[in-house]
Amino acid sequence: MRPTVGIREVAERASVSPGTVSNVLNRPERVAAPTRARVLAAIDELGFVRNGSASTLRAGHSRAVGLMVLDIANPFFTEAARGVEDVISERGYALMLSNSDEDAVKERRNLRMLAEQRVQGLLVTPVDDEAPELLALRERGVSVVLLDRPGARPDQCSVAVDDVAGGRLAVEHLLRLGRRDIAYVSGPPGIRQCDDRREGARRALDGADGARLREFAAEGMNVRGGLDAGQRLLAGRRTPDAVFCANDLLALGVMRALLRAGARVPDDVAVLGYDDIEFAAAAAVPLSSVRQPTYQLGRLGTELLLDECENPDGHAHQQVVFQPELVARDSTG
Amino acid sequence: MRPTVGIREVAERASVSPGTVSNVLNRPERVAAPTRARVLAAIDELGFVRNGSASTLRAGHSRAVGLMVLDIANPFFTEAARGVEDVISERGYALMLSNSDEDAVKERRNLRMLAEQRVQGLLVTPVDDEAPELLALRERGVSVVLLDRPGARPDQCSVAVDDVAGGRLAVEHLLRLGRRDIAYVSGPPGIRQCDDRREGARRALDGADGARLREFAAEGMNVRGGLDAGQRLLAGRRTPDAVFCANDLLALGVMRALLRAGARVPDDVAVLGYDDIEFAAAAAVPLSSVRQPTYQLGRLGTELLLDECENPDGHAHQQVVFQPELVARDSTG
DNA sequence: CTGTTAGCGCTTTCAC
DNA sequence: GTGAAAGCGCTAACAG
């Protein structure tokens, strides 16, 4: 373990004062070229690395932003996180990741942690929009951007995808194919995305004569939940002629239940998912799905966040809503 | 934006000295219960949040650890990250995530960033094991644990899964089913995991008469790469009777190519994947795969790391190698 | 058990 | 264009 090398040692080696080293680091244009070169050389030779906590302490804010998601293992958030990380890394920031696990208690604990770390901004898909820690963060001047929560509030930025439109797209597609007896397989109650997609589905049905929407709630928004919902759906008196699922994992499960029971997809039953994950196209019957610009969601959210961080005065809050897109594959014929 | 509330304001409100507040925060047992209660109340009333950078500056190390992976969107790393995050969060640390994208340049940049942030430890799947920034980090006393890189070095901890054993398991399984003409679909050259799995596959073949292993390298370790490899494999004079793929995404692609061409799985061709991702069981023909304890990998790696951070003297480096496990489903009969 | 105090390493006026 | 010095908020060592 070598002795700590700080700005002081660099200064000594380059025969300048610490202040000048700091200037080289932060406002290089104010330093004469030869001096600057000497300092840079010294930095290099000594392997100096700026102490972030000291800068942060002095500056009052760090070069780190937080990202809090509901589930880091979910492909949706993973893809968004890629967008976030790309921007963060391009712009020389650090990313503090945390995972609320859809648990308000864990969320509050993590928010506390992020506050202690003095993150400069936060991208968050909150479990509890009104968590006092979240408000407190904003009160202390931390920029907050909402991710995948359509922002009701005009006083902050948000990026989201229009889930109502997605649900509508989905069901319109099924109706166009002549399906009339449609099942909607959602996740457990209380998930906003599921609710919005259902709402969209209902609206699409409004004009359609003789069409109906039946609902099945899965226990979890994963393959197993879909399998189970698929079985319940098959147990009914009449099997629907189309199934719209709140995400692709559910759809894969439903499809498996159907195929196993001898139903033909899409001839007997059309299956439609949501998210268009990588595996959708690879299913036995390639899965039609509703695609969201997930990576872009992460990217744009982060750009808005950094803009707000770096330019708090000139910043205008915006609530961005992306439109989803239908990807038709074999599972809906 | 309310005025900053620091330890000083808390002290004043509780009518104690700043030192006592610090003691309440860090060594509560040294403070008399009534005093402690007063201080706690003041903290609460004022909404005081400890300034992490100041502590870090003073202490010389932060309560943050870094995690650098090759690809945050890959389910393997995602699952490991869940294990990491769970431990980090339980123990009250913060997690700085970075993504090297398998790019040595980006890796070095990110390592620099983490060094500046003064992370206390780092979990990393390095692109370049010998990156000077990595060595520098260790020289400054940052604990480093290697993730999914079987550690040759006895001077650091590592957690990994035995990929040679996994490859062997896979091919032994296929041989046991009477398959003799086996194809190995790997990713692009130079990926250690692929090389190790191939090596294991070869060893399994050593004792088997009349069995052979043909290799197909995909361009990317994703579904598309598998589709493409599957087509090349079908174009050959003789279609193999089994395909072992270096991961599940490849296997799903290969399976799709096979089914589309009218081959029956597993009757004509058995297909075997690697990783046992959630979607494996949900494929049209449920995919047999080699399962790795990915979540545990992340958990244990982090526990080792924190142990080393918190107890540098009593810490004994260990190189942990987990054993993979075969999960037989329909795709191999 | 509690208070006092001296920095941690850096940035940033303000002189020169 | 460069140097000197104060202090960001906290902790730990020491004194009382």
Side-chain angles (χ1 to χ4, degrees):
Chain A
M1 219 195 302
R2 76 172 98 166
T4 319
V5 20
I7 219 171
R8 228 226 264 343
E9 286 71 35
V10 174
E12 197 168 331
R13 171 146 198 152
S15 315
V16 295
S17 75
T20 301
V21 177
S22 174
N23 280 333
V24 170
L25 255 27
N26 302 303
R27 301 189 259 2
E29 71 285 358
R30 291 197 193 168
V31 179
T35 320
R36 199 194 312 150
R38 245 176 30 247
V39 171
L40 257 13
I43 286 179
D44 208 46
E45 288 157 20
L46 290 139
F48 165 79
V49 177
R50 183 220 247 97
N51 183 326
S53 6
S55 319
T56 298
L57 178 56
R58 190 69 240 257
H61 60 256
S62 67
R63 265 189 94 70
V65 309
L67 170 64
M68 181 144 68
V69 298
L70 299 177
D71 175 10
I72 13 171
N74 181 325
F76 174 81
F77 287 113
T78 277
E79 186 64 19
R82 259 192 52 225
V84 173
E85 210 277 339
D86 282 355
V87 176
I88 287 294
S89 155
E90 280 163 19
R91 314 255 299 243
Y93 280 74
L95 180 63
M96 314 223 55
L97 178 71
S98 68
N99 185 208
S100 65
D101 248 342
E102 310 206 21
D103 172 349
V105 176
K106 207 177 161 195
E107 171 171 274
R108 297 180 59 168
R109 195 175 67 197
N110 290 348
L111 283 172
R112 233 196 127 65
M113 178 95 253
L114 292 168
E116 283 197 7
Q117 300 292 328
R118 291 298 189 268
V119 291
Q120 198 177 149
L122 174 66
L123 259 158
V124 57
T125 306
V127 179
D128 175 7
D129 302 61
E130 305 298 335
E133 283 80 1
L134 202 53
L135 303 173
L137 226 42
R138 308 197 63 228
E139 242 175 47
R140 304 156 144 270
V142 175
S143 312
V144 176
V145 172
L146 257 33
L147 184 65
D148 201 34
R149 277 273 180 282
R153 313 182 48 161
D155 61 340
Q156 66 185 335
C157 286
S158 63
V159 287
V161 181
D162 187 339
D163 283 310
V164 175
R168 181 200 290 256
L169 269 182
V171 170
E172 281 172 354
H173 173 66
L174 294 173
L175 290 172
R176 211 178 303 122
L177 295 168
R179 310 291 167 149
R180 285 294 174 272
D181 184 8
I182 301 178
Y184 174 52
V185 176
S186 68
I191 298 185
R192 190 209 40 86
Q193 281 85 344
C194 292
D195 294 345
D196 283 3
R197 290 166 197 174
R198 174 190 309 111
E199 174 61 24
R202 289 231 181 90
R203 291 199 198 158
L205 276 178
D206 264 1
D209 284 349
R212 65 164 174 168
L213 189 72
R214 290 190 269 163
E215 182 150 351
F216 296 82
E219 284 187 19
M221 291 187 68
N222 46 41
V223 175
R224 205 148 38 92
L227 250 173
D228 174 65
Q231 280 157 355
R232 275 184 284 142
L233 175 156
L234 281 160
R237 220 165 359 157
R238 230 181 56 190
T239 305
D241 57 14
V243 186
F244 168 41
C245 301
N247 80 10
D248 286 345
L249 301 182
L250 287 171
L252 292 173
V254 167
M255 189 191 285
R256 233 176 102 44
L258 290 170
L259 293 175
R260 204 190 256 168
R264 288 167 308 162
V265 174
D267 302 10
D268 299 331
V269 187
V271 177
L272 182 52
Y274 209 106
D275 282 350
D276 194 30
I277 63 178
E278 185 176 8
F279 321 99
V285 183
L287 185 67
S288 299
S289 193
V290 178
R291 177 185 296 165
Q292 316 190 63
T294 319
Y295 174 83
Q296 279 307 323
L297 209 64
R299 268 204 84 93
L300 180 64
T302 311
E303 277 159 4
L304 291 174
L305 183 65
L306 295 186
D307 178 60
E308 185 175 339
C309 288
E310 291 173 357
N311 179 21
D313 301 323
H315 176 84
H317 291 304
Q318 32 186 314
Q319 291 76 41
V320 177
V321 178
F322 285 101
Q323 289 305 309
E325 180 189 345
L326 189 105
V327 179
R329 297 203 182 86
D330 300 355
S331 73
T332 53
Chain B
M1 225 200 292
R2 76 173 98 166
T4 319
V5 21
I7 219 171
R8 228 225 268 340
E9 286 71 33
V10 175
E12 197 167 334
R13 171 145 199 154
S15 317
V16 296
S17 76
T20 299
V21 177
S22 174
N23 281 332
V24 170
L25 256 27
N26 303 301
R27 300 187 253 10
E29 70 284 359
R30 293 201 193 165
V31 179
T35 319
R36 199 193 314 149
R38 246 178 27 248
V39 171
L40 257 14
I43 286 180
D44 208 47
E45 287 156 23
L46 265 37
F48 165 78
V49 176
R50 184 220 247 96
N51 183 326
S53 7
S55 321
T56 298
L57 178 57
R58 187 69 240 255
H61 60 256
S62 66
R63 266 190 92 71
V65 308
L67 169 64
M68 179 143 68
V69 298
L70 300 177
D71 175 9
I72 12 171
N74 181 325
F76 174 82
F77 287 113
T78 277
E79 187 62 20
R82 258 191 54 224
V84 173
E85 211 276 340
D86 282 355
V87 176
I88 288 293
S89 155
E90 280 163 18
R91 313 256 299 243
Y93 280 74
L95 180 64
M96 315 223 53
L97 178 71
S98 69
N99 185 210
S100 65
D101 248 342
E102 310 206 22
D103 173 348
V105 175
K106 206 176 163 198
E107 170 171 274
R108 298 180 58 167
R109 194 175 70 198
N110 289 348
L111 283 171
R112 233 197 126 66
M113 179 94 253
L114 292 168
E116 282 197 8
Q117 299 292 328
R118 290 297 189 272
V119 290
Q120 199 178 149
L122 175 65
L123 258 160
V124 57
T125 306
V127 179
D128 176 6
D129 301 60
E130 305 298 334
E133 282 80 0
L134 202 53
L135 303 174
L137 226 41
R138 307 196 63 229
E139 242 175 46
R140 304 156 143 270
V142 175
S143 312
V144 175
V145 171
L146 257 33
L147 184 66
D148 201 35
R149 277 273 180 281
R153 314 183 48 161
D155 62 338
Q156 64 186 335
C157 286
S158 62
V159 287
V161 182
D162 189 338
D163 283 310
V164 175
R168 183 201 287 257
L169 270 182
V171 170
E172 281 173 353
H173 173 65
L174 296 172
L175 291 171
R176 212 178 303 122
L177 296 168
R179 312 291 167 150
R180 285 295 175 271
D181 185 8
I182 301 176
Y184 175 52
V185 176
S186 69
I191 297 185
R192 190 207 43 85
Q193 281 85 344
C194 291
D195 294 345
D196 283 2
R197 290 166 198 176
R198 175 192 307 110
E199 174 61 23
R202 289 231 181 90
R203 289 198 201 160
L205 276 177
D206 265 1
D209 283 349
R212 65 165 173 167
L213 190 72
R214 289 188 271 164
E215 182 151 351
F216 296 82
E219 284 186 19
M221 291 186 67
N222 45 42
V223 175
R224 206 148 37 93
L227 249 173
D228 173 65
Q231 280 157 354
R232 276 183 283 140
L233 177 154
L234 282 159
R237 222 167 352 159
R238 231 182 54 192
T239 304
D241 57 14
V243 186
F244 168 41
C245 300
N247 79 10
D248 286 345
L249 302 181
L250 288 170
L252 292 173
V254 166
M255 189 191 287
R256 230 173 106 45
L258 290 170
L259 293 174
R260 202 191 258 169
R264 289 167 308 163
V265 174
D267 303 9
D268 301 329
V269 187
V271 178
L272 182 51
Y274 208 106
D275 283 350
D276 194 31
I277 62 179
E278 185 177 9
F279 321 99
V285 183
L287 185 66
S288 299
S289 192
V290 177
R291 176 185 296 165
Q292 314 190 65
T294 319
Y295 175 82
Q296 280 306 325
L297 210 64
R299 269 204 85 93
L300 181 63
T302 311
E303 277 160 3
L304 290 175
L305 182 66
L306 295 186
D307 179 60
E308 185 175 339
C309 288
E310 291 174 357
N311 179 20
D313 301 324
H315 176 82
H317 291 304
Q318 30 186 317
Q319 291 76 41
V320 177
V321 177
F322 284 101
Q323 289 306 309
E325 180 189 345
L326 189 104
V327 180
R329 297 201 183 86
D330 301 355
S331 74
T332 54

